[in-house]
Amino acid sequence: GAGVSQSPRYKVAKRGQDVALRCDPISGHVSLFWYQQALGQGPEFLTYFQNEAQLDKSGLPSDRFFAERPEGSVSTLKIQRTQQEDSAVYLCASSLALAGATISYEQYFGPGTRLTVT
Amino acid sequence: KNEVEQSPQNLTAQEGEFITINCSYSVGISALHWLQQHPGGGIVSLFMLSSGKKKHGRLIATINIQEKHSSLHITASHPRDSAVYICAVWQAAGNKLTFGGGTRVLVKP
């Protein structure tokens, strides 16, 4: 079946531009996660949704970063006034919730969006 | 100090060699993932462990909860195993994965 998809796969932005990155999770997956992966490093948590509720946004590096999932399926990560340090691969992952709406540990990752800020 | 440490950072092996990647963590966890990331590609989950040992094909993952340590072994390595292998943990009190820095593996023919 279809996995997690992300678009665009590559994005080049001039410093100061706003960008929007899209994630389509696996159908029926309740939990959705965004991660940031700098070159040569492991991913780092940005934010987490359970359905449409953003339950944890502790990893968002600044108030220029904003994420939403208004209908509990597709999610958008928006970065305002991009800076060079925002250049990274942005990964989205989704997972099923266990019974009782607790978190399922098995995550399925999308291919990522490589953002380059020039 | 990072909560999840991997070693080595880089590893080069000849085809057919046995490869071991280590992961140590300093927090209480509910589960540990081993992930594979090919250049330009997304991340694939290889294993999710909370105890003991799992095997899939030529890959074996073990975890020792008391020692807070996990290993990923690749037997009879092949050039297509060349990738970055990432260890990630679900902290017991958390709702997110914490990742190690990855081990870049290159298997030469």
Side-chain angles (χ1 to χ4, degrees):
Chain A
V4 179
S5 62
Q6 292 186 244
S7 60
R9 291 292 313 276
Y10 303 91
K11 176 69 179 177
V12 178
K14 285 189 170 27
R15 189 161 57 93
Q17 281 185 334
D18 297 350
V19 298
L21 312 180
R22 177 186 168 107
C23 172
D24 283 83
I26 293 173
S27 178
H29 277 198
V30 174
S31 300
L32 186 145
F33 302 80
W34 282 99
Y35 300 98
Q36 180 189 58
Q37 186 176 23
L39 188 65
Q41 298 183 20
E44 292 192 0
F45 170 83
L46 292 176
T47 187
Y48 157 63
F49 290 86
Q50 184 94 345
N51 295 307
E52 69 279 2
Q54 190 174 19
L55 298 187
D56 188 340
K57 54 182 181 179
S58 61
L60 296 176
S62 78
D63 59 7
R64 295 186 296 103
F65 286 70
F66 172 75
E68 60 183 7
R69 194 186 185 199
E71 296 179 359
S73 55
V74 171
S75 178
T76 303
L77 176 67
K78 297 179 180 177
I79 309 173
Q80 297 177 323
R81 303 181 305 281
T82 52
Q83 304 293 317
Q84 283 191 315
E85 62 263 29
D86 300 335
S87 296
V89 174
Y90 291 85
L91 294 161
C92 174
S94 70
S95 68
L96 281 169
L98 293 172
T102 55
I103 295 172
S104 166
Y105 300 136
E106 186 69 62
Q107 288 199 354
Y108 298 85
F109 288 83
T113 295
R114 182 177 297 278
L115 173 64
T116 303
V117 182
T118 60
Chain B
K1 187 179 186 298
N2 292 335
E3 292 170 319
V4 182
E5 297 272 2
Q6 287 185 236
S7 63
Q9 286 187 313
N10 295 282
L11 185 157
T12 300
Q14 288 297 130
E15 184 173 356
E17 287 184 343
F18 182 84
I19 290 171
T20 295
I21 303 168
N22 295 298
C23 175
S24 296
Y25 51 92
S26 57
V27 294
I29 71 167
S30 299
L32 181 146
H33 284 264
W34 280 104
L35 309 166
Q36 181 191 57
Q37 186 173 34
H38 282 279
I43 291 176
V44 174
S45 179
L46 299 174
F47 295 104
M48 186 174 66
L49 293 166
S50 55
S51 65
K53 176 179 175 178
K54 287 191 175 180
K55 184 177 190 293
H56 181 71
R58 294 180 294 104
L59 301 178
I60 302 167
T62 63
I63 188 168
N64 185 318
I65 296 292
Q66 286 73 30
E67 295 186 3
K68 296 187 174 179
H69 181 269
S70 176
S71 292
L72 177 68
H73 306 285
I74 306 174
T75 63
S77 59
H78 190 275
R80 66 175 172 267
D81 297 326
S82 298
V84 176
Y85 293 84
I86 303 171
C87 170
V89 302
W90 278 107
Q91 295 191 26
N95 60 5
K96 58 192 177 222
L97 284 174
T98 302
F99 296 81
T103 296
R104 187 174 301 275
V105 172
L106 175 63
V107 182
K108 295 183 176 180

